[in-house]
Amino acid sequence: MEIDAAREVRTTCPYCGVGCGVLAKITADGQVSVRGDPDHPANFGRLCSKGSALAETIDLDGRLLHPQIHDRPAGWNEALDVVASTFQHTIAEHGPDAVAFYVSGQLLTEDYYLANKLMKGFIGSANIDTNSRLCMASSVAGHRRAFGSDTVPGTYEDLELADLIVLVGSNLAWCHPVLYQRIAAAREKRPEMKIVLVDPRRTMTSDIADMHLAIAPDGDVALFTGLLAWLGQHNALDRAYITAHTAGFGQALFAASTLDLAGVAAATGLSEDELSRFYSLFARTEKTVTVYSQGVNQSSQGTDKVNAIINCHLATGRIGKAGAGPFSVTGQPNAMGGREVGGMANMLAAHMEIENPGHCERVQRFWKAPAIAGEPGLKAVEMFKAVADGRIKALWIMATNPVDSMPDAGAVEASIKACPFVVVSDVLAETDTVRHAHVRLPATAWGEKDGTVTNSERRISRQRPFLAAPGEARPDWWIIAEVARRMGFGEAFAHKSPAGIFAEHAALSGFENDGERDFDISAYAAIDVEDYEGLAPFHWPAPSPGPPLWPAGRPEGGAQAQLQSEGGAQAGTRPEGATSIERQPTRFFADGNFYTPDRKARFIALRPTVETRITAAFPLVLNTGRIRDHWHTMTRTGKSPRLSQHIAEPFVEIHPEDAQRHGIGDADIARVSTPRGEVLVRVLVTTRQRPGSLFAPMHWTDQFAARGRLDTLTASLADPVSGQPALKHVAARIEKFTAGAFGFAVTRKRPVTMAADYWATARCRGGWRVELAFANDDIDWTAFAGSLFDAADAEMLAYHDREAGQHRIAAFQGEHLAGALFIAPGPVAVSRGWAAEQLGEVHASQRERFRIVAGRAGAERPDAGATVCSCFNIGVNQITAAVAAGCNSVEAIGATLKAGTNCGSCRSEIRAIITTGRVQAAE
């Protein structure tokens, strides 16, 4: 491919697990724009706000461009030699379990495959785990307990065919917006479709729900165990399916029957009437899909929650059928690909089992490996505890930021700082994790990477490069292979391209399979570079129609000719290749044939327990999660001015009753604390929040806020089966941070240091915006402003009213604003959007400059208000004005302002403004 030519490239979005197709258009002068791929079957042209802003995130600002050793520049040979030799010496002295890899759902499948191969097959340890442990490990464990395999039974099409969709612990509107829009569009065509939301919070997804069950934290096992009992009591079972295709139903029903409706109500916080209406709706609706996400998975009962849901679908035979089945939606772009290659500590490659000696022998023989891990390694929480206590002495972190995303993040940071040898492969030079690395390896980013990802419906798609790798950045697979070669394993890691790695991965999936395992893409085992480049999205399974195409150890080359000669479909052409492969079934288990020894699914007998974690000292339940326009730790979305305007600082949601009880008001700064630490966040008082609970997002790091690292509050408590941390049920307390002064600033340069108790920075067009709060107001504000703006030669214009506590300072360099600072005794009322816009305006006249100091636009420049629609930069005041002018529907707002007409992520907020006249944050 000609990287320097004008072109449009088909690739895949690097955010959530929906796996949307993206068309990246590059002009002759190098300008990049993106749009949804109308031909991709995951999104059919739709993109969410994050995907739509991808072109704003590919600049080189802050990129790690060269290897570093102990903070000094180094060449690749030196850096790779240090990594390989240190790992070798550590293994020789302390054994293979003294080293570990912590990898990521951001890796492409080819990267993941080589990392797993190196650790489990050649180092001989299973100490490789992934941030996907924080995302979907409970789904994996639940699938394996019930199905005998980690199989997602259904497809996205089921969401459009269902008559009832039950959303459990999933704010689809904000976290998987394209799926939300597919459901919304299907419902417009079939208004009789029903939607139930099970979530402690009234999120933006409730906008589409017919019923919202504001369940108590961790009440899900009781809810669905109670449903199983109800189904049995009301003769709503598929007895034929249960008899033919399942085992353990009697025990599961007996355990469920010990909980009556009153007991379920007590355990869930729901009324008996709510339960009866939901249970009746489920019982009478054959075509039911239960969609679940982090509210189910991120729990100490996560695996039991998953199996409680699956039990109900098995009992009704609603699985693997069009419009029916349990459906786990994943949070990362390649969490599924990582599961396929065995990138978790308790899995082998190609969905084989690390506890199965026969599987271990098979993989070792295929890889021609000197050793194979024969027992599970350390899962993420256990891994960092082993780093802390010295059992792990060399750690390689790839494409993730555990100092911010792991539970008990303060302890995780301390463990990394104390580890004798830490390697980090990343795209950024400064993250809260990279700063502690002894060796930093520059990796390629989205737009430069070349490989595959698998989405939540088992669809494999290509990520293709359309930008040249900057500086000395290299693909992760290349870095891993080079380290392996230096460790003496060159023959097994002699891949020349990701196409060869994918072919090996596909070959292993079909190796001695014969239908024994669900994951099989051996139809692609002979794919060559040319056809890999053209590979179209396809569902697995895609088994070879003939004998195995690649005996273990076959070298690269000649792939396509062999595939055709074996009678297989030609891989990689578009669209014919995808059509031929897609003839394979895309749903599992409608007729049983599970992957257990007797081919029957397993019911899991569950007895719900109610956990009380709050205490007198920590009387509130903290629930953590995501917001609409940011993702993970903001290493990508934090680069986008558009995405940073919707919610620009860390916040906590609290119910009005709790706010009053704790003496906290809207827009105050609050201290939220647990026994492990504390954060300072902005307060949002809202009835969307369940009384007795708090919600705060996990995105902010030390790069963007003074004290916003939320996962320093969460505990390392994990599900005993899956090892997934319980991030949504944490005992906490809240108190008002008594501020002597509040501030807001805009500045052309990113502030380096800020002498403020609370600060949060966010990108805006032309510079940065900054929220501030100070414990006292005895500060030289002019000097503070000068330090903040870093504009020594600027002309300063200031207004001071010390008695009122009001200070406004603007600095100009020539005709341009270098920065403006607004200080007040309470939350600053200046329009953020208007102030940020001034960084890009010309301010030649004194009148224009005084307007900035006054903090308001003229009458001819109405304030747009807080951003609601990020795609078109439409604010709440504009929407409110349009409503007042007669736009009384989301469609009318879209026709007038365009808001809600691109990604659709803001449609629920627009509807809320139409209804209530007030915008609210809710995840």
Side-chain angles (χ1 to χ4, degrees):
M1 182 181 62
E2 294 293 332
I3 289 289
D4 296 327
R7 64 209 174 279
E8 190 166 64
V9 175
R10 294 185 187 275
T11 185
T12 307
C13 181
Y15 287 118
C16 75
V18 176
C20 294
V22 175
L23 292 176
K25 184 176 182 179
I26 305 91
T27 62
D29 63 356
Q31 297 298 307
V32 176
S33 61
V34 300
R35 62 187 177 97
D37 183 349
D39 296 327
H40 197 288
N43 59 314
F44 299 107
R46 297 182 180 93
L47 287 179
C48 73
S49 58
K50 293 184 288 291
S52 297
L54 275 167
E56 297 181 13
T57 68
I58 56 177
D59 60 64
L60 299 185
D61 185 30
R63 283 292 296 270
L64 179 63
L65 297 175
H66 306 281
Q68 297 176 1
I69 300 173
H70 296 294
D71 296 325
R72 66 169 175 82
W76 268 112
N77 283 331
E78 183 187 8
L80 293 168
D81 286 346
V82 167
V83 173
S85 62
T86 305
F87 268 76
Q88 282 180 306
H89 293 155
T90 303
I91 294 164
E93 186 172 352
H94 302 285
D97 288 335
V99 301
F101 295 171
Y102 186 64
V103 298
S104 166
Q106 290 293 287
L107 293 177
L108 302 186
T109 297
E110 294 75 7
D111 309 324
Y112 244 137
Y113 180 85
L114 288 195
N116 184 59
K117 180 180 180 180
L118 174 58
M119 178 56 77
K120 289 187 179 139
F122 290 81
I123 291 175
S125 170
N127 281 348
I128 174 172
D129 212 47
T130 166
N131 62 6
S132 299
R133 180 70 60 187
L134 316 180
C135 170
M136 32 46 65
S138 292
S139 287
V140 174
H143 287 162
R144 293 177 71 182
R145 286 207 302 190
F147 307 148
S149 60
D150 176 23
T151 310
V152 175
T155 71
Y156 292 161
E157 184 184 38
D158 295 325
L159 303 177
E160 297 161 327
L161 299 176
D163 294 324
L164 170 63
I165 296 177
V166 183
L167 300 171
V168 190
S170 169
N171 185 10
L172 217 61
W174 276 22
C175 298
H176 300 93
V178 169
L179 293 186
Y180 176 84
Q181 291 305 322
R182 286 185 66 164
I183 293 171
R187 185 170 185 171
E188 287 182 9
K189 296 177 182 177
R190 295 193 299 118
E192 66 274 15
M193 177 193 285
K194 300 297 181 186
I195 299 172
V196 176
L197 175 65
V198 182
D199 198 305
R201 303 167 56 236
R202 185 161 52 87
T203 65
M204 285 300 169
T205 303
S206 66
D207 174 67
I208 203 173
D210 299 282
M211 184 187 306
H212 173 215
L213 302 179
I215 196 168
D218 282 336
D220 309 83
V221 175
L223 178 67
F224 285 94
T225 301
L227 173 58
L228 181 64
W230 174 280
L231 295 170
Q233 294 161 5
H234 291 78
N235 197 28
L237 303 170
D238 187 336
R239 299 251 176 214
Y241 189 91
I242 292 170
T243 301
H245 303 305
T246 73
F249 174 71
Q251 297 92 318
L253 185 62
F254 177 78
S257 298
T258 62
L259 194 64
D260 60 14
L261 202 61
V264 177
T268 61
L270 303 172
S271 70
E272 292 187 32
D273 178 65
E274 287 176 306
L275 292 169
S276 296
R277 287 189 290 117
F278 169 52
Y279 288 174
S280 296
L281 179 61
F282 190 102
R284 67 176 183 264
T285 310
E286 181 68 22
K287 296 175 73 172
T288 297
V289 174
T290 303
V291 177
Y292 63 92
S293 192
Q294 306 311 339
V296 168
N297 293 328
Q298 290 180 338
S299 167
S300 59
Q301 305 173 16
T303 307
D304 284 352
K305 291 182 181 186
V306 171
N307 286 118
I309 291 168
I310 292 174
N311 280 350
C312 295
H313 281 270
L314 292 174
T316 53
R318 299 173 188 170
I319 187 167
K321 300 175 181 177
F327 203 121
S328 162
V329 289
T330 52
Q332 292 200 83
N334 204 30
M336 291 284 283
R339 289 148 72 169
E340 293 158 10
V341 305
M344 302 177 79
N346 58 320
M347 302 173 71
L348 269 185
H351 280 200
M352 283 181 268
E353 299 170 1
I354 200 168
E355 305 91 347
N356 185 318
H359 289 185
C360 291
E361 186 276 336
R362 179 185 295 138
V363 174
Q364 183 175 8
R365 183 158 38 89
F366 181 89
W367 281 341
K368 297 183 178 179
I372 194 77
E375 59 184 27
L378 297 173
K379 300 168 185 174
V381 171
E382 300 166 331
M383 179 181 289
F384 284 100
K385 288 182 178 179
V387 174
D389 65 25
R391 283 176 288 156
I392 290 176
K393 302 178 187 302
L395 175 66
W396 189 351
I397 299 168
M398 306 180 198
T400 187
N401 196 4
V403 165
D404 296 314
S405 58
M406 280 292 294
D408 198 5
V412 169
E413 181 173 30
S415 74
I416 292 172
K417 289 170 69 175
C419 186
F421 186 63
V422 176
V423 183
V424 177
S425 307
D426 210 317
V427 301
L428 291 184
E430 289 291 335
T431 73
D432 293 354
T433 299
V434 168
R435 63 189 177 191
H436 301 305
H438 301 102
V439 178
R440 300 167 186 162
L441 304 177
T444 48
W446 183 83
E448 305 150 12
K449 293 177 73 70
D450 189 7
T452 58
V453 294
T454 306
N455 73 359
S456 295
E457 63 165 351
R458 295 176 279 106
R459 188 179 296 278
I460 295 174
S461 299
R462 288 277 279 113
Q463 267 194 24
R464 294 180 175 89
F466 53 87
L467 299 170
E472 295 184 271
R474 297 290 184 270
D476 288 284
W477 68 264
W478 181 90
I479 300 171
I480 296 162
E482 284 296 309
V483 170
R485 186 171 65 82
R486 285 165 168 79
M487 293 180 72
F489 310 129
E491 184 177 350
F493 293 84
H495 307 85
K496 299 294 189 291
S497 71
I501 303 169
F502 183 81
E504 181 180 327
H505 166 54
L508 177 55
S509 75
F511 184 59
E512 299 179 352
N513 191 332
D514 299 321
E516 175 190 335
R517 306 188 300 275
D518 62 337
F519 179 67
D520 188 344
I521 58 169
S522 55
Y524 295 94
I527 195 169
D528 63 13
V529 172
E530 180 181 354
D531 291 302
Y532 180 78
E533 173 59 29
L535 183 66
F538 70 94
H539 269 135
W540 64 260
S544 168
L549 302 179
W550 184 354
R554 177 190 179 278
E556 296 181 35
Q560 188 57 43
Q562 184 173 355
L563 180 59
Q564 291 175 314
S565 69
E566 296 289 350
Q570 182 174 349
T573 56
R574 184 179 185 92
E576 290 81 3
T579 302
S580 60
I581 296 300
E582 286 287 293
R583 291 172 186 165
Q584 301 296 332
T586 57
R587 295 183 178 88
F588 284 85
F589 309 140
D591 299 316
N593 201 30
F594 295 90
Y595 292 92
T596 55
D598 61 4
R599 292 292 188 174
K600 291 188 175 185
R602 300 292 188 261
F603 281 92
I604 306 298
L606 300 169
R607 296 183 183 273
T609 58
V610 178
E611 294 188 46
T612 301
R613 295 181 188 158
I614 60 172
T615 64
F618 299 97
L620 298 169
V621 171
L622 172 64
N623 174 13
T624 71
R626 303 179 185 181
I627 59 174
R628 191 189 77 188
D629 289 356
H630 278 310
W631 198 75
H632 283 200
T633 60
M634 292 166 50
T635 50
R636 182 182 290 114
T637 56
K639 285 174 164 281
S640 167
R642 188 196 320 184
L643 297 178
S644 298
Q645 301 316 297
H646 181 236
I647 297 175
E649 60 184 322
F651 68 93
V652 61
E653 286 184 359
I654 185 171
H655 191 274
E657 294 174 5
D658 293 320
Q660 184 177 24
R661 184 176 303 113
H662 292 277
I664 295 170
D666 212 19
D668 279 347
I669 304 297
R671 179 182 289 106
V672 180
S673 58
T674 72
R676 288 157 295 281
E678 63 180 45
V679 296
L680 292 179
V681 290
R682 186 76 66 178
V683 173
L684 174 65
V685 179
T686 173
T687 56
R688 288 181 172 270
Q689 181 58 48
R690 178 185 173 88
S693 295
L694 307 171
F695 170 81
M698 52 79 71
H699 307 292
W700 274 267
T701 70
D702 285 350
Q703 309 300 313
F704 292 96
R707 293 159 72 183
R709 288 172 53 210
L710 194 73
D711 276 317
T712 59
L713 308 187
T714 56
S716 58
L717 176 68
D719 179 283
V721 180
S722 70
Q724 182 157 359
L727 301 177
K728 291 184 172 291
H729 188 173
V730 181
R733 65 170 172 244
I734 189 170
E735 55 192 312
K736 181 177 179 177
F737 172 76
T738 303
F742 291 80
F744 171 72
V746 293
T747 174
R748 296 184 70 85
K749 295 181 181 179
R750 183 174 187 173
V752 178
T753 59
M754 283 171 279
D757 297 278
Y758 171 87
W759 59 261
T761 62
R763 285 266 197 177
C764 62
R765 298 197 186 281
W768 295 82
R769 51 183 282 188
V770 188
E771 300 288 344
L772 299 154
F774 307 84
N776 64 74
D777 62 352
D778 186 19
I779 294 171
D780 182 339
W781 295 114
T782 301
F784 178 86
S787 173
L788 187 69
F789 305 152
D790 187 24
D793 60 339
E795 177 187 349
M796 305 288 277
L797 191 63
Y799 165 84
H800 298 285
D801 185 342
R802 290 177 174 78
E803 187 173 340
Q806 297 279 353
H807 306 269
R808 300 168 196 160
I809 303 162
F812 298 90
Q813 290 177 313
E815 296 183 340
H816 294 280
L817 180 67
L821 172 67
F822 306 89
I823 299 295
V828 176
V830 170
S831 167
R832 271 60 175 165
W834 169 83
E837 288 174 1
Q838 304 315 301
L839 293 171
E841 301 286 338
V842 173
H843 304 282
S845 72
Q846 201 71 356
R847 179 184 177 189
E848 291 167 338
R849 297 184 176 197
F850 275 118
R851 279 184 178 174
I852 293 175
V853 175
R856 58 180 180 270
E860 74 281 3
R861 297 279 300 274
D863 176 18
T867 299
V868 174
C869 175
S870 297
C871 295
F872 295 107
N873 198 29
I874 303 300
V876 61
N877 293 347
Q878 293 169 284
I879 297 171
T880 302
V883 172
C887 294
N888 56 8
S889 69
V890 175
E891 291 71 25
I893 294 291
T896 301
L897 300 174
K898 292 189 176 181
T901 61
N902 183 40
C903 75
S905 301
C906 62
R907 289 172 66 88
S908 53
E909 290 168 87
I910 294 171
R911 188 171 286 109
I913 295 167
I914 294 170
T915 303
T916 67
R918 182 191 177 198
V919 65
Q920 293 205 44
E923 187 248 8

